[in-house]
Amino acid sequence: MSKKDSEDQKKSMSVMFRGRAIFKPLNTGWIDEHVACVREWIANIFFYTKNDTTIMIDAGYNYDRLREKMGWLDIDPASIGHILITHQDTDHVGALERDSEGLFRNAVIYLSEIENRYLTGEARRKVIHGLYKLPLFKTDNRRVTLKDGQILDIGGIKIECILCPGHTWGHMVYLIDDEYLFTGDTIWFGADGGYSFLSTLAEDNKLAVRSLAALERLLRARKGPIKIITGHTGWTDDLDAAFSHASELCRPFTRRYTDPDAPYDGYEEADDTEEKACTLRLEKKVFRA
């Protein structure tokens, strides 16, 4: 979205969710040798590197410090040729907006063919139970639209595209190399496990819950561990915990202190520092019984 839209959302969302302990993003740093994260206020964007190829997952806000924080991780924006988009909300596509800094002007972006209807104007993104329309996302990047179950190979990196509608009509998650699942805004981690994402921001909450159930079945049928990496609340390799409350909605205005470890205001990012990014691994989420 435009820079103004990003700034407006920062102000409104900070006021709306301050004190509710809803957002606990990762700080900037590395999860392991393949996955890096940049924190932008309450949102995380991710980079997956293998075989000298780096793929970006989501593009965050229209955020002034993105180049700086990528520098902490020794990732050159010019090296990014492919960006996977889970959905087109303001906090996931801002760096691709026409009035952004243009760090990824030459990158190809990938999103579901259903989600692309928001970009063409065939659909309008609505939040807060359909009462508020988000601004249109406008980009000049080349787009590739994806179908549910489609498999991509980018530089020897396997990407499985899994449609998980509910938060948006065309929300897609990406399973990379059968080991890393980037969930965008399908799962929200509370203190005691994973829930369906924030009820106030979904197009269809019942659909979101059904999508999570289908995703869980798909993952449980796979062999080997999977890291589940969320857009706003960290990561885990504990499949049971990640889906422990998947049939329930995170209701931010009725569950005031859902995660006591989350910051009072997730938009305050003073604890996200270059020193930490360069020296500490990003630990997985610890859930309480």
Side-chain angles (χ1 to χ4, degrees):
M1 301 300 169
S2 71
K3 189 171 292 295
K4 182 180 183 300
D5 294 330
S6 284
E7 291 293 338
D8 287 348
Q9 187 181 104
K10 177 190 175 184
K11 293 174 184 176
S12 61
M13 292 275 283
S14 176
V15 170
M16 189 182 304
F17 293 108
R18 188 179 297 146
R20 299 186 183 278
I22 291 299
F23 296 109
K24 192 183 181 190
L26 292 165
N27 280 330
T28 301
W30 291 86
I31 290 176
D32 61 17
E33 68 274 16
H34 293 298
V35 180
C37 171
V38 165
R39 177 179 175 181
E40 297 186 353
W41 299 320
I42 60 164
N44 291 130
I45 61 176
F46 297 98
F47 301 88
Y48 184 85
T49 299
K50 192 180 79 170
N51 302 332
D52 296 321
T53 296
T54 298
I55 293 171
M56 187 173 174
I57 301 96
D58 281 335
Y61 285 100
N62 198 330
Y63 179 76
D64 290 335
R65 299 183 64 195
L66 179 52
R67 182 192 294 273
E68 172 196 349
K69 290 188 178 183
M70 289 180 68
W72 297 356
L73 305 171
D74 292 323
I75 298 175
D76 181 359
S79 72
I80 304 299
H82 306 274
I83 303 175
L84 307 175
I85 299 298
T86 60
H87 63 296
Q88 59 83 67
D89 281 355
T90 306
D91 51 339
H92 292 260
V93 294
L96 303 172
E97 181 69 41
R98 285 174 181 165
D99 74 340
S100 71
E101 191 177 346
L103 299 179
F104 314 107
R105 199 178 307 278
N106 297 319
V108 179
I109 62 175
Y110 303 77
L111 74 168
S112 82
E113 58 184 1
I114 298 173
E115 196 72 9
N116 190 55
R117 295 173 187 169
Y118 290 117
L119 278 68
T120 63
E122 297 171 73
R124 283 298 302 271
R125 173 73 168 111
K126 298 177 183 179
V127 296
I128 313 180
H129 309 293
L131 298 176
Y132 179 70
K133 293 181 180 179
L134 293 185
L136 291 175
F137 166 48
K138 298 178 181 179
T139 183
D140 294 318
N141 288 73
R142 184 165 74 87
R143 302 197 298 271
V144 173
T145 58
L146 307 169
K147 297 181 181 298
D148 183 29
Q150 187 171 343
I151 306 292
L152 304 176
D153 184 303
I154 298 176
I157 298 171
K158 177 186 176 184
I159 303 162
E160 183 174 352
C161 309
I162 305 166
L163 192 66
C164 284
H167 181 71
T168 64
W169 296 122
H171 194 295
M172 184 162 271
V173 304
Y174 299 98
L175 181 60
I176 296 184
D177 285 335
D178 299 310
E179 186 177 350
Y180 300 87
L181 181 74
F182 294 90
T183 69
D185 288 0
T186 58
I187 300 177
W188 175 84
F189 288 159
D192 58 349
Y195 294 73
S196 183
F197 200 73
L198 278 64
S199 59
T200 52
L201 303 180
E203 296 276 16
D204 187 326
N205 281 302
K206 291 182 179 179
L207 178 59
V209 168
R210 292 198 299 272
S211 294
L212 274 187
L215 179 62
E216 181 179 7
R217 290 193 297 270
L218 184 151
L219 296 179
R220 290 193 183 280
R222 303 303 173 91
K223 296 179 180 179
I226 296 174
K227 292 182 173 68
I228 299 170
I229 304 169
T230 73
H232 298 277
T233 54
W235 71 276
T236 186
D237 55 8
D238 185 338
L239 195 65
D240 291 335
F243 288 91
S244 58
H245 303 282
S247 63
E248 303 175 51
L249 305 174
C250 172
R251 299 183 182 275
F253 300 108
T254 57
R255 297 173 60 89
R256 181 173 175 80
Y257 293 104
T258 349
D259 187 349
D261 294 330
Y264 179 80
D265 185 350
Y267 282 87
E268 294 294 331
E269 53 181 14
D271 62 333
D272 190 31
T273 67
E274 183 175 7
E275 180 181 4
K276 290 180 180 179
C278 294
T279 59
L280 301 176
R281 289 292 195 193
L282 299 174
E283 296 183 353
K284 62 184 177 182
K285 172 72 176 177
V286 176
F287 297 101
R288 303 180 183 187

